Amino acid sequence: THFDAPIHWITGAELPNNATDTLPPEMFVGPACVIDVSQEATADHDFLLTKERVLAWEAEHGQIQPGSWVLMRSDWSKRSSREAFLNADEDGAHSPGPDPACVRFLAEARDVLGFGTETVGTDAGQAGGFEPPFPAHNIMHGNGKLGLASLVNLDQLPATGAIVIAAPLKIVQGSGSPVRVLALTAAR
């Protein structure tokens, strides 16, 4: 699992306290909002999480609160081979992720702590062709937000009610770090 600090992308490079060694520790802990798109991602490897899909999730589970981690459950982590996980062909990688309007909504209107996925990166596989390119990196990090990639076991978390702890290594001016992400939930 990987942690992206704001300095990870050019848009966050000049922000204060933007690296793994300068981020305030309170940014490593927050409530989890798990949006399950596993069925959609199984049917369409290029599935995009939209603002409308997030609003539908909020209608059922309540509004995403500032300082929350939004985690997109796609069950991508259950892919057993490297080839299936990367899912690349001559057109590039094909994996689910958020569309630009969704990322902007989460970063700015909902003021989330960060966005996490089960895929190799926080952006969709085809996000290089979006406007802006790689919106989860471009918009999230430009707004001082964080990213988590290659998450596992999101299928074991409730839609709400878990607390995520994702503390990166304190690498001087680190743009990212391996991280062991923990989610605390009430006993079942």
Side-chain angles (χ1 to χ4, degrees), residues 26-102:
E26 58 268 18
M27 289 186 75
F28 306 146
V29 181
C33 297
V34 181
I35 301 176
D36 183 356
V37 299
S38 57
Q39 289 182 343
E40 295 94 329
T42 297
D44 177 5
H45 295 169
D46 291 317
F47 172 79
L48 297 178
L49 180 64
T50 63
K51 174 183 172 182
E52 293 73 26
R53 179 69 170 79
V54 172
L55 290 170
W57 182 92
E58 286 184 329
E60 184 176 349
H61 301 287
Q63 185 171 313
I64 296 167
Q65 295 302 302
S68 295
W69 280 105
V70 173
L71 308 176
M72 188 181 81
R73 176 189 163 197
S74 63
D75 287 347
W76 211 258
S77 63
K78 295 179 180 181
R79 291 172 166 250
S80 59
S81 72
R82 179 184 194 313
E83 291 76 21
F85 185 74
L86 296 176
N87 200 37
D89 62 18
E90 62 279 350
D91 297 328
H94 296 276
S95 58
D99 77 6
C102 179

